[in-house]
Amino acid sequence: MPPVHPRTSWSLVPPGWTRRRFALGVCAAFALPALVFISQVYYSTLAEGGRAPVWRAVSVQTGLWLIWAALSPLVVWIIHRSEMMTRRLMPRLLLLTAGGVFCAAVQSAGMFTIYSLAGQNIPGNRAPTLGSFFQGWLVINFILYAAIICAVFAILYYNRFREREVAASELAVQLSQAQLRALRMQLNPHFLFNALNTIAMLVRKEDGHAAVRMLAGLSDLLRYALDDDAADEVPLAGELAFLDRYLAIERTRFGDRLRVTVDVDAHVLDALVPNLILQPLVENAVRYGVAPRAAGGAICISASRTGSELVLAVSDDGPGLADEASMSAGVGLTNTRERLARLYGVTGTLAIANASAGVVVRITIPYHTAPLVTRLAS
């Protein structure tokens, strides 16, 4: 017995449809040709000068298409069975053809029965016979069977295409969430070690109040950063609040050596930005623009709206970097670029360059206030 190859989802109900809605759609699909043929029979009878037997046309055509409606589950089963067979084409074609001959024969026999019961003559005003129906309608019914086969395949592959689209969207969200979780776990170990060293230094100085304050701040920071329920995107106001917790710890380390300016337009505070998007940039500015210098340095964090874009910038007044290509290849910046690409495609960019004093990093994303999941679903 040949192996059965598992296939993808076999649901004929389109995504977003209920079974009831789909059933009504199938009934409408069979009712439409019945109405067309009823009208054709009615007007052709009128054209011939005879009386139009509406009830007879309705009963005959309704019966004919009800037979096809009754055969449709068998057609679906034949398609399903053919897909479960070996991948060789010939056995599948033989099954589909045999099923077509059987369905066409059943339909022809059913047509003969309906015509006979309704007292309806066939074209040419001849009384119906079983042989005449098989001779005249077997091929036509086989063609109708082939049309139903094509319709079922079209619905099936459309549903699979839609399922792949939905799966791709869900995968994009999952990848973004996984990257966010990785970023949370990647809060620079240097920062954690330095924070703990600063706490140890405060304890040695017997500055218990400052040590407790710093421990509480570090606890809040880690609790937020490691929260698995955090969204991919947060309002800019929330991102700045998290950044303020981070900077409070860094200010304890550097004191007056660290000077921070926040220049954010009030009307963009409700804009959504990637969660934890600014912390790695500020951390780089502290590490390379402030820490190496005895006098410390200044960091500026800004956000503004330009048309349909939101521009976030982090700059420092440090010595800058001689090789801009190498500074763009850091783990934090690479991670940030990949997150922007997954969330916004080509509309999310990160640019880094030496400024007149220090380095400036700019992030440009679409300005929006609707959550990412809502936009993906649409």
Side-chain angles (χ1 to χ4, degrees), residues 288-313:
Y288 297 109
V290 177
R293 296 187 294 166
I299 296 175
C300 179
I301 303 164
S302 64
S304 60
R305 182 178 181 179
T306 304
S308 61
E309 296 179 334
L310 178 68
V311 180
L312 309 172

Side-chain angles (χ1 to χ4, degrees), residues 6-19:
R7 300 283 173 165
T8 55
S9 171
W10 229 92
S11 174
L12 288 176
V13 181
W17 286 42
T18 62
R19 290 185 178 274

Side-chain angles (χ1 to χ4, degrees), residues 179 182-190 276-277 279-281 283-284 287-288 321 325-340 342 350 352:
Q179 193 170 35
L183 181 60
R184 293 190 189 111
M185 300 303 294
Q186 254 180 25
L187 274 179
N188 201 313
H190 293 285
L276 300 180
I277 197 67
Q279 188 274 335
L281 308 184
E283 185 170 2
N284 278 347
R287 186 176 182 186
Y288 297 109
L321 297 174
S326 63
M327 68 183 179
S328 298
V331 174
L333 294 178
T334 300
N335 195 324
T336 301
R337 278 198 177 92
E338 290 177 355
R339 290 187 64 207
L340 292 174
R342 288 197 176 104
L350 181 148
I352 181 169

Side-chain angles (χ1 to χ4, degrees), residues 37 81 93 131 135 151 165 227 253 259 277 293 306 308 371:
F37 280 101
R81 188 63 184 174
L93 289 178
Q135 182 180 358
E165 279 192 332
D227 181 11
R253 288 180 55 210
R259 299 175 295 279
I277 197 67
R293 296 187 294 166
T306 304
S308 61

Side-chain angles (χ1 to χ4, degrees), residues 53-339:
V54 178
W55 67 269
R56 186 175 295 173
V58 170
S59 60
V60 169
Q61 295 300 325
T62 301
L64 298 183
W65 289 100
L66 279 177
I67 296 175
W68 275 123
L71 287 173
S72 59
L74 175 61
V75 175
V76 172
W77 180 87
I78 292 171
I79 296 175
H80 191 186
R81 188 63 184 174
S82 71
E83 286 212 324
M84 294 175 62
M85 296 175 65
T86 177
R87 293 181 180 178
R88 289 179 297 173
L89 182 60
M90 189 55 65
R92 297 182 63 187
L93 289 178
L94 288 175
L95 176 61
L96 292 173
T97 303
V101 172
F102 175 79
C103 290
V106 171
Q107 178 67 13
S108 299
M111 291 176 66
F112 167 74
T113 303
I114 291 173
Y115 269 79
S116 299
L117 292 176
Q120 178 86 16
N121 288 340
I122 61 176
N125 202 28
R126 292 181 292 114
T129 63
L130 185 60
S132 62
F133 267 88
F134 273 92
Q135 182 180 358
W137 287 96
L138 191 63
V139 175
I140 296 175
N141 286 327
F142 187 87
I143 294 173
L144 289 174
Y145 162 84
I148 295 175
I149 286 282
C150 292
V152 173
F153 270 121
I155 294 172
L156 182 63
Y157 287 116
Y158 170 76
N159 289 348
R160 290 178 180 175
F161 171 74
R162 289 288 297 147
E163 287 172 358
R164 283 194 292 267
E165 279 192 332
V166 172
S169 298
E170 292 176 350
L171 180 59
V173 174
Q174 291 170 3
L175 287 174
S176 180
Q177 291 173 343
Q179 193 170 35
L180 179 59
R181 285 194 293 269
L183 181 60
R184 293 190 189 111
M185 300 303 294
Q186 254 180 25
L187 274 179
N188 201 313
H190 293 285
F191 158 69
L192 295 177
F193 295 151
N194 289 333
L196 293 174
N197 286 335
T198 302
I199 293 171
M201 179 188 66
L202 293 173
V203 171
R204 283 196 296 268
K205 289 183 176 180
E206 298 184 354
D207 190 349
H209 180 71
V212 170
R213 187 173 65 249
M214 191 168 182
L215 273 175
L218 182 60
S219 175
D220 290 340
L221 185 73
L222 293 177
R223 185 181 299 111
Y224 180 86
L226 299 177
D227 181 11
D228 284 336
D229 295 329
D232 286 328
E233 294 180 307
V234 296
L236 180 58
E239 181 71 6
L240 293 174
F242 172 80
L243 198 59
D244 188 60
R245 295 190 188 101
Y246 168 77
L247 288 171
I249 296 175
E250 294 290 43
R251 288 190 187 97
T252 304
R253 288 180 55 210
F254 292 99
D256 294 338
R257 294 174 58 209
L258 175 61
R259 299 175 295 279
V260 179
T261 302
V262 178
D263 180 17
V264 176
D265 294 340
H267 65 276
V268 300
L269 290 175
D270 61 341
L272 294 181
V273 300
N275 201 348
L276 300 180
I277 197 67
L278 292 175
Q279 188 274 335
L281 308 184
V282 173
E283 185 170 2
N284 278 347
V286 171
R287 186 176 182 186
Y288 297 109
V290 177
R293 296 187 294 166
I299 296 175
C300 179
I301 303 164
S302 64
S304 60
R305 182 178 181 179
T306 304
S308 61
E309 296 179 334
L310 178 68
V311 180
L312 309 172
V314 175
S315 61
D316 64 71
D317 63 351
L321 297 174
D323 185 358
E324 294 186 6
S326 63
M327 68 183 179
S328 298
V331 174
L333 294 178
T334 300
N335 195 324
T336 301
R337 278 198 177 92
E338 290 177 355
R339 290 187 64 207

